[in-house]
Amino acid sequence: MADYLVQFGSPEWLAYGSVAIVQCLILLTVMMGAAATFTWMERKVSGRIQDRLGPTRVGGRFGWLQSPADGIKLLCKEDLMPAEADAVLFRLAPYMSFCASFCVFLALPFSNGWVAQQLNVAVFFILAVAGLEVFGVVMAGYASASKWSLYGAMREAAQVVSYEVPLGICVLIPVMVAGSLDLVTIGNMQQGWGWNWMIFHSPFMFITFFIFVTCAVASTNRAPFDLAEAESELVAGFLTEYSGFRWSVFFMAEYGSMVAVSGLGAILFLGGWYGPIPVADLIGLPHSNHPILGWLGELLGACNFLFKAILGVTFMMWLRWTLPRLRIDQVMTVCLKYCVPLAATMFVGVMLWTYAFPAGLLPRKTPIGPNPEAAARMTVETTGGDRT
Amino acid sequence: MRIAKKYQDRYQEMPIERVDPELVEFDVRTDEMLINMGPQHPSTHGVLRLVLRTDGEVVSDVVPHIGYLHRCAEKIGEKVSPRQWLPYTDRMDYLAGMNMNLGWAMTVEKLMDLDVPDRARHLRVMMCELNRIASHLVAAGTYGLDLGSFTPFLYTFREREKILNLFEDVCGARLTYSYITMGGVTADLPPGWLDKCERFLCEFEEVIPELHAVLTSNEIFIRRTAGIGVLSPEMAIDYGCSGPVLRGSGVKWDLRRDGEPRVTRMYEDYEFEIIAEHEGSYPQDRDDYPVVPPQAVLGDCWHRFYIRMVECVQSIRLIRQAMEKYRECDGPLGEPIKVTQKLPKGEAYLETEAPKGQMGFMVVSNGTAIPWRVRARSSCFCNLSVTHELCRGFLLADIPAIIGSLDIVLGEIDR
């Protein structure tokens, strides 16, 4: 689109700048919409699991206006800050978390080519940026000038940083099989019917998916790993002194990360925007030729991808309201004694499997594995240009 | 270093570990953290202040500060007659009002040498056991809440709602009943109550396996509670612990069977088991009880929780027998004593088995209708006193686990 604008004679910086702003606005809308929807869904899901209804009054029988109502309430709240708190860090912390969570969406594709920036190191970028969220948390915990907040922050730092190791290994395994760090390429390799999904590539990959789920839940601080915001012990951990809008920014960051890691898992393991049943191919919406029909096919793919992300988030909510919380030393034990060795074993297993069966055991529509010309061809076909 | 003047000469002999942080203030210490788990805190069951000294996450000392809920109940007892003081006992362990009423009623009956007719006795057993279930449900639900499991709380409170509705039908109140009084009970059961009770018992029996699945047998729950806060039987007896805390350490002691004759007479024709791991009395071979996990040590939090859950099953048995006996019994209900009844001179002390432990009441009378002195011996007070022994060396996250397993109610501790 930027090239399109440049053709009309606008200066390059303006074209690229306005495109970037538009993309950011779209992603912000997606993220805030996701946060609002998921707060409503969390309350409904938690209510149903707990044998009660959840919000039913604000906005009809299902209470779907509850999220905007809560948002308005949070905006109108008094802006409190503890007297001994470090003013700059206290104010900065929520936005750091939010930015880290938001930046993940910059490289996360929603469909074939539907990504703000198609990076050929997308996976690496996502892992790097997602790890920045811990800065916001530690700053919040320290700057709150409360021992309880400090506890929450320390626990969170230990947890997130150590879970990045098995998360990285688990993410590396499909990348190794696909031969590319580009998420669009990895997604496109899973075209066709359900058995094309990366998760069915080998039994080792299947197990890797579950390790990935555990590490993803740990890295987003959801129960059973939510001791950083443990309600019963630390009141709200590092969030204790935050109220009103600052608190809602932290929560948007959390829900954003939840969607992001669900999306990442969907692309890496569950076929991305290609469903178990290739509806778009069956009803004859080819991906390249006709502009509008092709776009419609990609829209279907995007809906499929969002559906998988929502499933992932629902699963995380289900976990949260069922299981008790793990203690910090148990969290670290799970990470260092179980997840890391298991992930490393799976890495070796998948490596041997690809060596033994290079083409895989299942009939695949697109060949899996490092394939530079095919990748380049796909990029040219679908995105209409060389974009880095 | 500021030290209170009166302790200045004793300071040299005071060992450094037992120095109360309130008396001695140190300059910024880098080796230990002094943390206040203040009176307002989601996981201390009531207004309890815990001052923790920790080295990072490892707790080295816990000092509970109580008194935030003190309402001078015993002083008020010197101004009103026993029947008028009955509502004050309701508010002590407010989760087990019927049992508190029973304790006070039986104490005054012991002073007056009064016996209640059988019909009232069976009603008392019914209500006390129903309230035992209700109290244990709160303990189980809030324990899950302390550990981060939000759902069982609502399941247990859903069942508790049914019990409270039953109580409302009987005496009009959901929490503070003043139903069991000196001489018997205040009113007979309304028609249809027994069927409602039976329906509740059937529904509750189906919920118990659900609770076992989310809590007792849950791997994460076991990891959080097994081996934590181990209380040896000798220490439990030394500190005066009672109830599930004592039975959880393996001491098979229940006042319903081992108490004084006035208390055991109430339950003498009932069949039930005292649950404590003693000479194989844990019903291990039954399918409906969850298996004791291998990590669980006798006297830890898991065992205290397990005993509460299994006691609910025994209470169901007792309630069914009480309903049966009540149906067959056609004697008089008994009349409560008059408010202005003069008490004989003397004193009486009686302990009953409340859900949380041995609750004792004492009344000293000088011949008038108003007692000279009343005293309530709180079971949770003694259970709480063992906290600093249990918490030593555990992590910060274990403190709610240990306090929750002791199942304290500040209303009873502070009176």
Side-chain angles (χ1 to χ4, degrees), chain A residues 49-52 147-148 151 155 224 231-233 235 321-330 334 338, chain B residues 34-36 41-43 54 56-57 145-148 151 154-155 158 218 223-224 228 396-398 400:
Chain A
I49 292 179
Q50 294 168 354
D51 199 16
R52 57 185 178 89
K147 284 177 187 152
W148 293 107
Y151 263 101
R155 286 174 174 183
E231 252 174 45
S232 346
E233 293 144 31
V235 185
W321 298 104
T322 314
L323 296 174
R325 193 176 294 131
L326 283 173
R327 224 171 44 203
I328 181 69
D329 64 320
Q330 291 163 349
V334 165
Y338 297 115
Chain B
L34 197 67
I35 306 188
N36 184 41
H41 194 92
S43 81
T54 71
E57 285 248 358
L145 210 56
D146 286 344
L147 297 180
T151 316
L154 287 137
Y155 292 171
R158 182 190 61 203
N218 187 321
R223 278 176 157 218
R224 284 296 297 273
I228 308 289
L396 193 63
D398 294 321

Side-chain angles (χ1 to χ4, degrees), chain B residues 4-5 15 57 61 63 71 75 84-85 96 107 122 125 131 167 171 175 178 186 202 242 252 301 343-344 350 398 400:
Chain B
K5 200 146 178 61
E57 285 248 358
D61 198 13
V63 178
R71 295 157 290 179
K75 181 69 185 166
Q84 286 172 319
W85 200 65
T107 307
H122 300 314
V125 170
N131 217 337
F167 284 151
C171 60
L175 201 68
S178 304
T186 53
C202 293
S242 49
K252 190 170 174 175
C301 296
L343 302 170
L350 187 81
D398 294 321

Side-chain angles (χ1 to χ4, degrees), chain B residues 358-390:
Chain B
Q358 288 172 206
M359 185 75 191
F361 286 95
M362 184 177 90
V363 60
V364 179
S365 165
N366 58 358
T368 58
I370 315 282
W372 183 248
R373 168 89 170 99
V374 301
R375 161 103 176 105
R377 181 256 187 213
S378 159
S379 53
C380 296
F381 187 87
C382 304
N383 289 350
L384 183 66
S385 64
V386 83
T387 318
H388 74 271
E389 297 280 352
L390 291 185

Side-chain angles (χ1 to χ4, degrees), chain B residues 3 8 15 18 34 52 74 93 99 144 177 194 201 206 219 239 260 265 268 294 326-328 336 390 392:
Chain B
I3 306 173
Q8 238 158 21
R18 299 307 308 161
L34 197 67
L52 312 169
E74 291 176 5
D93 180 2
N99 292 281
Y177 314 110
L194 288 170
L201 291 176
E206 319 214 326
E219 178 65 35
Y239 275 87
E260 56 178 86
R265 249 198 329 246
E268 69 189 342
Y326 174 81
R327 278 198 189 97
E328 290 163 7
L390 291 185
R392 224 169 253 164

Side-chain angles (χ1 to χ4, degrees), chain A residues 72-383:
Chain A
I72 295 174
K73 174 206 80 173
L74 285 167
L75 282 173
C76 300
K77 267 195 174 182
E78 182 186 353
D79 185 17
L80 286 173
M81 197 174 87
E84 305 97 20
D86 188 325
V88 174
L89 289 181
F90 188 84
R91 293 193 166 95
L92 189 58
Y95 302 104
M96 276 240 39
S97 257
F98 183 78
C99 285
S101 179
F102 174 73
C103 285
V104 173
F105 283 94
L106 288 177
L108 193 71
F110 282 68
S111 183
N112 198 350
W114 285 27
V115 58
Q117 279 299 320
Q118 181 163 349
L119 304 171
N120 50 6
V121 289
V123 168
F124 180 60
F125 174 78
I126 286 180
L127 283 181
V129 169
L132 290 179
E133 214 175 320
V134 73
F135 275 129
V137 170
V138 172
M139 272 162 51
Y142 167 72
S144 296
S146 152
K147 284 177 187 152
W148 293 107
S149 307
L150 198 61
Y151 263 101
M154 290 299 118
R155 286 174 174 183
E156 157 106 14
Q159 179 185 318
V160 172
V161 168
S162 29
Y163 269 95
E164 277 177 13
V165 174
L167 187 71
I169 302 180
C170 287
V171 161
L172 202 59
I173 295 178
V175 163
M176 173 180 74
V177 168
S180 163
L181 283 169
D182 188 353
L183 280 172
V184 176
T185 315
I186 299 180
N188 280 332
M189 279 183 191
Q190 300 174 66
Q191 275 182 30
W193 290 84
W195 52 82
N196 278 296
W197 285 2
M198 198 70 86
I199 191 178
F200 299 119
H201 169 260
S202 59
F204 298 102
M205 190 71 91
F206 195 71
I207 300 174
T208 309
F209 174 64
F210 293 104
I211 307 176
F212 173 80
V213 165
T214 311
C215 297
V217 169
S219 73
T220 48
N221 280 327
R222 291 290 290 186
F225 302 102
D226 64 343
L227 24 70
E229 32 172 274
E231 252 174 45
S232 346
E233 293 144 31
L234 308 176
V235 185
F238 66 93
L239 284 176
T240 318
E241 304 292 341
Y242 283 87
S243 62
F245 186 62
R246 299 187 212 282
W247 178 88
S248 61
V249 170
F250 264 121
F251 256 71
M252 280 199 283
E254 174 168 330
Y255 282 110
S257 319
M258 273 167 67
V259 178
V261 294
S262 298
L264 188 67
I267 297 180
L268 288 175
F269 293 96
L270 296 178
W273 47 90
Y274 292 112
I277 305 167
V279 176
D281 285 342
L282 288 179
I283 65 178
L285 292 174
H287 292 282
S288 43
N289 302 359
H290 203 275
I292 295 186
L293 283 184
W295 189 86
L296 212 59
E298 289 176 16
L299 179 68
L300 273 179
C303 293
N304 196 3
F305 171 78
L306 278 175
F307 177 68
K308 289 177 190 166
I310 293 178
L311 267 183
V313 172
T314 312
F315 176 71
M316 285 195 212
M317 289 181 187
W318 186 9
L319 262 190
R320 174 182 188 187
W321 298 104
T322 314
L323 296 174
R325 193 176 294 131
L326 283 173
R327 224 171 44 203
I328 181 69
D329 64 320
Q330 291 163 349
V331 165
M332 302 306 286
T333 310
V334 165
C335 171
L336 297 168
K337 288 195 196 166
Y338 297 115
C339 280
V340 169
L342 262 179
T345 317
M346 292 306 122
F347 187 83
V348 172
V350 170
M351 201 165 69
L352 294 175
W353 188 277
T354 44
Y355 181 71
F357 311 107
L361 282 183
L362 301 163
R364 303 191 68 90
K365 182 170 173 190
T366 36
I368 208 166
N371 195 346
E373 327 96 36
R377 215 183 328 125
M378 259 189 272
T379 315
V380 167
E381 269 174 11
T382 56
T383 64

Side-chain angles (χ1 to χ4, degrees), chain B residues 241-276:
Chain B
C241 300
S242 49
V245 176
L246 183 64
R247 292 195 281 278
S249 298
V251 182
K252 190 170 174 175
W253 177 262
D254 189 321
L255 285 185
R256 292 175 288 178
R257 283 286 186 247
D258 308 311
E260 56 178 86
R262 191 167 272 271
V263 178
T264 55
R265 249 198 329 246
M266 196 167 130
Y267 287 90
E268 69 189 342
D269 46 348
Y270 286 85
E271 269 180 41
F272 66 104
E273 297 167 36
I274 308 294
I275 307 296

